Amino acid sequence: MPFRYEWKDESKRVICYIAEGDWNWKDYHHAARASAFTLSGVDHSVDCLIDLRGSARRDLPAGFAAHVRSFGKKMQACLSGRALVIGMPKEGMDALLLDDENMLFTSDGALRFVADEVELERVLRAWARG
């Protein structure tokens, strides 16, 4: 499957959507909808992690600027609206209007683009502290 999802750890505070191989937006949205069953029994806030490092694509799929805003969308009550994105190609980041902390604000949340695992873990720890 080009996109899969899993919990980051046993605390179930972060759900990961992981690109594998050649994917498109339909693949991502399918995984996001399918994860609703996993999220339905959770009674605490959950952040999202979108991991594009396993992508085999040279370029992002068409419609990137519109679809990226759906990362972390609050489709379930437990979703915080916050999402971290790792592995985003530089061209994709350059096409977005990110602030100084590589943030993009959406209608119901915020996306943070991180460069590596160290930054990812630092942001997750900060978000966990509130």
Side-chain angles (χ1 to χ4, degrees):
M1 186 186 291
F3 246 99
R4 64 183 172 87
Y5 61 92
E6 64 184 35
W7 290 112
K8 180 157 176 48
D9 59 29
E10 292 180 16
S11 72
K12 296 185 178 182
R13 299 276 175 192
V14 178
I15 191 162
C16 305
Y17 299 95
I18 304 162
E20 296 176 325
D22 187 18
W23 61 278
N24 59 41
W25 293 115
K26 184 178 177 183
D27 298 321
Y28 167 73
H29 291 295
H30 176 75
R33 283 189 309 275
S35 71
F37 296 105
T38 300
L39 293 164
S40 65
V42 177
D43 62 356
H44 56 265
S45 184
V46 175
D47 296 320
C48 294
L49 167 61
I50 291 74
D51 187 344
L52 301 176
R53 294 175 292 182
S55 176
R57 297 187 62 95
R58 262 193 57 213
D59 299 315
L60 291 165
F64 166 72
H67 284 278
V68 74
R69 286 169 174 75
S70 68
F71 288 165
K73 185 142 184 77
K74 293 182 73 167
M75 297 186 316
Q76 294 284 351
C78 66
L79 289 175
S80 68
R82 297 185 300 199
L84 282 168
V85 182
I86 189 167
M88 174 66 65
K90 182 174 178 0
E91 304 80 41
M93 289 180 60
D94 290 346
L96 300 170
L97 299 174
L98 304 178
D99 70 9
D100 292 341
E101 293 184 338
N102 288 330
M103 296 279 296
L104 174 68
F105 295 93
T106 64
S107 62
D108 63 352
L111 308 175
R112 172 89 182 250
F113 296 83
V114 296
D116 55 34
E117 195 77 30
V118 172
E119 185 180 6
L120 178 124
E121 293 298 329
R122 182 180 57 78
V123 173
L124 285 176
R125 281 192 305 274
W127 284 1
R129 287 192 300 269

